[in-house]
């Protein structure tokens, strides 16, 4: 399947491990030597109207992509709650102050 970046940006990214909708693709990480896509990048989104901060940028390696379908992109992220590239800023701040 051949897709443009504009087409990819219209697809929801779904984590198959827990069914969470991670959002939509904002950018791609491309290896300039091989012209291969290395990762998908989802920029942090505000949580609860910005009251609880925002998520950090989520970087999904190409090997974690299971399927690129017509409407969605299915990925496997083992645990987005503890994943270093998908951690939630508000939760990290709360843990820092609560011990």
């Amino acid at each position: 399947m051949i897709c443009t970046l504009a087409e990819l940006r219209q697809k929801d990214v779904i984590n198959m491990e827990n069914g969470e909708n991670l959002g939509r693709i904002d950018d791609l990480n491309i290896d300039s030597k091989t012209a291969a896509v290395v990762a998908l990048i989802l920029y942090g989104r505000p949580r609860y109207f910005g009251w609880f901060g925002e998520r950090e940028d989520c970087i999904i390696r190409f090997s974690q992509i299971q399927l690129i379908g017509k409407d969605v992109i299915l990925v496997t992220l083992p645990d987005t709650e503890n994943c270093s590239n998908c951690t939630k800023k508000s939760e990290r701040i709360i843990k820092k102050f609560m011990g």
Side-chain angles (χ1 to χ4, degrees):
M1 171 189 247
I2 298 174
C3 293
T4 65
L5 178 57
E7 292 170 341
L8 286 175
R9 292 183 71 178
Q10 298 300 316
K11 300 175 190 282
D12 289 323
V13 179
I14 307 293
N15 184 1
M16 292 176 52
E17 293 290 321
N18 59 9
E20 181 181 6
N21 185 342
L22 300 173
R24 294 189 174 178
I25 297 172
D26 293 305
D27 208 349
L28 297 175
N29 188 347
I30 298 176
D31 182 355
S32 61
K33 292 180 182 177
T34 62
V37 174
V38 177
L40 306 176
I41 301 171
L42 286 71
Y43 294 138
R45 307 271 193 271
R47 296 176 43 80
Y48 303 109
F49 305 106
W51 291 13
F52 294 102
E54 63 182 29
R55 290 182 146 194
E56 291 184 8
D57 296 348
C58 184
I59 300 171
I60 301 169
R61 293 185 311 272
F62 192 76
S63 62
Q64 294 173 310
I65 299 171
Q66 299 301 314
L67 176 71
I68 298 176
K70 180 180 174 187
D71 299 320
V72 298
I73 299 172
L74 300 177
V75 299
T76 301
L77 298 176
D79 188 10
T80 56
E81 297 297 317
N82 297 319
C83 183
S84 62
N85 58 357
C86 292
T87 56
K88 299 174 184 170
K89 287 182 181 179
S90 59
E91 290 179 4
R92 194 176 71 234
I93 291 169
I94 291 170
K95 286 180 184 178
K96 179 180 175 182
F97 289 109
M98 298 302 281

